[in-house]
Amino acid sequence: MRRPIRELAVATPFVLSKAAVFGLFIAVPFVYTFVLTFQRGSILSGLRFTGLDNYRTIFADTLFRDSLRNTLLFMSISTPVTLIVAGSVGLLLASKLRGMVIHRTLIYLPSLLSVVATGLIWKVLIDPEQGPLHLLMRRVFGLEIPWLTDGTTAIVFLALITAWSGCGFYGLVFMAGFNSIPGDLLEAARIDGASTWQVLTRIKLPLIQPVIQVVLALVTINAVQVFDLVFIMTNGGPGTATYTAMWYVYQNAFNGGSVAYAATMSVILLGITAIISAAFLGRRAAVDQ
């Protein structure tokens, strides 16, 4: 009996320290966010309990609905593009070609850039006066693209940048999935006369279904929470065309809005994210069974 007690005594300080950090930086802010949703006012001037007023207001808020629609548009573009591009990259990286180590490094480099660096790089590339990409599209293809001055173009462009910056990381995830497929199984399929397309669609993709679902969940959740790229490149403009849900939360929390109202929107976004995660994880569990 003495040994378990001694081990418990040694482990307790380490467990308590972890629990204290979790409680201070995660559990307490999480609970306080829910408490804020039932209040009005500011933290400095004082808060008062108002019940469900924030929820009633938010469901009548047209700008919040617009931000959700913009987020949905962003997600509907970035998610499939990321899946297709990252899956193709992963398939290429899993092949046994010369110099693949160098290619893997180069493809992963965009994922190492911070979002701030990514946004600034692309802003330089599309600068209307001296941007290399803008000048290329104008002089070679005769296209004058309103990269960030047209609402639809701006949200599509931000989604494509997000897909570009994430394809390296997700490509490596797909590569790991493809490399986990037994080589004997692929060789047997080729001996039986299966084409490259049949091997891909009938063997490889079904076998990496769990990988696809995990990547799909991660990409979708990141799309719902997009904020930093909007902050760097558009500030929600032109007008409110790139007002995503998280950008609207930020505006209310730090730019003269209500912290309690921002907390209410955060809780609603948490619910949306939880539903998406549950859908993907539930589907994966069903597949595993």
Side-chain angles (χ1 to χ4, degrees):
M1 292 295 293
R2 292 181 178 179
R3 184 176 180 181
I5 294 175
R6 190 182 304 113
E7 291 177 350
L8 180 62
V10 173
T12 298
F14 297 96
V15 174
L16 290 179
S17 62
K18 294 287 186 181
V21 171
F22 176 83
L24 182 62
F25 295 103
I26 297 179
V28 172
F30 184 81
V31 173
Y32 187 59
T33 299
F34 278 91
V35 173
L36 281 175
T37 64
F38 301 104
Q39 303 184 57
R40 281 285 180 91
S42 68
I43 297 178
L44 296 178
S45 61
L47 297 166
R48 68 183 188 280
F49 180 79
T50 57
L52 297 176
D53 283 356
N54 284 326
Y55 290 95
R56 283 190 286 265
T57 302
I58 205 168
F59 286 115
D61 189 344
T62 57
L63 186 54
F64 181 66
R65 290 200 298 269
D66 289 343
S67 68
L68 287 179
R69 186 173 61 250
N70 293 336
T71 304
L72 180 61
L73 175 60
F74 180 93
M75 182 174 62
S76 65
I77 297 169
S78 66
T79 301
V81 171
T82 302
L83 282 177
I84 294 172
V85 175
S88 302
V89 168
L91 186 62
L92 175 64
L93 294 180
S95 61
K96 298 178 181 179
L97 299 177
R98 287 187 176 182
M100 192 51 65
V101 174
I102 298 176
H103 294 154
R104 290 172 184 172
T105 303
L106 294 176
I107 290 174
Y108 188 69
L109 280 179
S111 299
L112 297 177
L113 295 174
S114 67
V115 178
V116 174
T118 299
L120 293 177
I121 289 171
W122 280 100
K123 286 191 76 172
V124 171
L125 289 175
I126 62 171
D127 182 77
E129 301 298 330
Q130 299 178 344
L133 181 59
H134 186 79
L135 296 178
L136 174 68
M137 300 302 293
R138 178 198 295 171
R139 296 174 182 177
V140 177
F141 300 101
L143 299 175
E144 191 72 29
I145 300 177
W147 303 98
L148 301 177
T149 56
D150 175 76
T152 303
T153 305
I155 199 76
V156 171
F157 186 56
L158 292 180
L160 294 178
I161 293 176
T162 301
W164 171 82
S165 63
C167 71
F169 171 75
Y170 295 118
L172 290 182
V173 175
F174 274 112
M175 180 197 72
F178 285 124
N179 284 336
S180 67
I181 300 174
D184 295 342
L185 183 62
L186 301 178
E187 187 64 27
R190 295 189 182 97
I191 292 174
D192 288 340
S195 64
T196 303
W197 177 253
Q198 289 173 327
V199 170
L200 174 63
T201 56
R202 298 185 182 183
I203 298 178
K204 290 185 176 181
L205 292 181
L207 288 178
I208 66 164
Q209 187 79 12
V211 176
I212 296 175
Q213 290 174 343
V214 169
V215 172
L216 182 60
L218 292 175
V219 172
T220 304
I221 292 172
N222 288 337
V224 173
Q225 298 176 346
V226 62
F227 161 77
D228 32 22
L229 199 61
V230 175
F231 180 83
I232 296 299
M233 298 194 70
T234 66
N235 280 315
T240 57
T242 57
Y243 252 67
T244 60
M246 287 303 299
W247 176 255
Y248 193 31
V249 171
Y250 168 79
Q251 291 295 315
N252 275 275
F254 300 104
N255 283 345
S258 168
V259 174
Y261 195 61
T264 307
M265 286 188 286
S266 299
V267 169
I268 293 175
L269 289 178
L270 174 64
I272 294 173
T273 305
I275 291 172
I276 293 173
S277 301
F280 288 129
L281 294 177
R283 184 179 177 186
R284 180 182 177 185
V287 171
D288 292 340
Q289 291 177 357

